[in-house]
Amino acid sequence: MTDHTTDWPDHLTGDARPLEVGILLFERHTALDLVGPYTAFALAGMKVHLVSETLDPVVSDDGGLAIVPTTTFDDCPRQLDILFVGGGLVDRVMLDPAAIAFLQDRGATASCITAVCNGTLVLAAAGLLDGYRAATHWASRKELAQLGVEVSTERVCIDRNRFSGGGVTAGIDFGLTVIAHTLGEKAAKFAQLVMEYDPEPPFNAGSPESAGPELVALRTRFMTGPDTALRNAVSRVLERRAASSSHPVPDANTGLAAGIVNT
């Protein structure tokens, strides 16, 4: 990975090449998953591409927020410094041949391959997390493990050039971490200051452990449909792998598929 620390902030004034970031946009994404990292990357002077199959607006998982892509799969720069996937209702994009082909193509040369929330399942479906450790939303850890990924419970997980964040709001921590590793702490702290990222949450309910069983059960009932769709998508990915001799199916009960670590 190239060290750009000494270049910053020269690239903000056009004196050095900015890092190229490709963010996959897909229907039913969770907007905050990508808006947090997007904001951090942009403030650090990176050139961010919002990539989709077409330039049509892409609607979020709540159906009320649309984001307009800046480029298509075909026109996105071939060489990306950072490839990023956010989460959301990912069952369809995990099985979308065009999106998976794009990730596999750019992932073959990207310096950093990254995701937040259950966007890591999309990377896993593309085979980009084989042999790596990654974080995801707490409710998606079992499904990520089934895809053969060693699951971390860290808020931000780094395994070589794979960077991943936990659920939704972890995207800001993730974005700042990626900036620190690519441009240096000064750039990351600058982005944090401009965002005034100085969190003091009003409640201590941001994890299953702190929220307690009643709220966890409420979330489970609320998300029954999406959770079922995600499990079905994972099963279909595993079926496709079983049909391919080049990509064996992980054992759901042994090895990496069963491993959830906190390191």
Side-chain angles (χ1 to χ4, degrees):
M1 184 184 304
T2 303
D3 181 5
H4 295 271
T5 302
T6 57
D7 295 338
W8 196 90
D10 293 345
H11 59 280
L12 293 174
T13 58
D15 296 329
R17 183 187 72 83
L19 297 187
E20 302 267 0
V21 182
I23 294 180
L24 176 67
L25 278 181
F26 56 90
E27 292 289 338
R28 307 189 308 161
H29 63 273
T30 296
L32 187 54
D33 280 8
L34 67 92
V35 170
Y38 174 93
T39 302
F41 294 154
L43 287 173
M46 298 182 183
K47 186 175 182 179
V48 184
H49 306 274
L50 301 174
V51 192
S52 187
E53 187 169 10
T54 71
L55 294 178
D56 295 335
V58 179
V59 181
S60 63
D61 54 3
D62 62 6
L65 182 63
I67 297 180
V68 180
T70 61
T71 190
T72 64
F73 294 159
D74 291 336
D75 294 334
C76 177
R78 307 300 302 179
Q79 179 66 54
L80 295 172
D81 296 289
I82 299 168
L83 178 65
F84 172 73
V85 183
L89 303 180
V90 298
D91 53 291
R92 295 179 187 173
V93 70
M94 287 174 63
L95 300 168
D96 181 348
I100 294 300
F102 167 77
L103 292 174
Q104 290 172 336
D105 180 76
R106 299 310 193 273
T109 57
S111 299
C112 298
I113 297 174
T114 72
V116 162
C117 197
N118 59 8
T120 52
L121 275 78
V122 184
L123 288 182
L128 295 176
L129 290 180
D130 293 354
Y132 289 89
R133 189 176 76 255
T136 190
H137 191 286
W138 62 265
S140 301
R141 290 171 183 165
K142 179 179 178 181
E143 287 72 25
L144 184 60
Q146 288 176 326
L147 292 173
V149 180
E150 185 179 0
V151 180
S152 169
T153 60
E154 298 163 281
R155 186 162 174 84
V156 180
C157 174
I158 305 170
D159 186 357
R160 290 158 284 176
N161 73 331
R162 266 55 170 180
F163 294 74
S164 54
V168 192
T169 59
I172 298 177
D173 300 63
F174 153 88
L176 296 174
T177 300
V178 172
I179 293 169
H181 277 260
T182 54
L183 295 176
E185 286 191 9
K186 181 180 179 181
K189 290 177 179 178
F190 172 81
Q192 181 178 2
L193 174 62
V194 176
M195 289 191 291
E196 196 179 355
Y197 180 52
D198 191 19
E200 295 183 9
F203 308 106
N204 183 26
S207 71
E209 295 76 18
S210 60
E214 181 180 359
L215 286 177
V216 171
L218 179 62
R219 183 266 167 208
T220 300
R221 291 197 298 273
F222 179 73
M223 296 294 289
T224 296
D227 286 349
T228 299
L230 180 60
R231 287 193 294 269
N232 290 339
V234 169
S235 295
R236 291 186 63 188
V237 170
L238 294 176
E239 289 171 1
R240 291 181 178 182
R241 290 186 177 184
S244 171
S245 59
S246 62
H247 205 147
V249 180
D251 187 334
N253 298 307
T254 62
L256 290 179
I260 297 180
V261 300
N262 188 0
T263 59

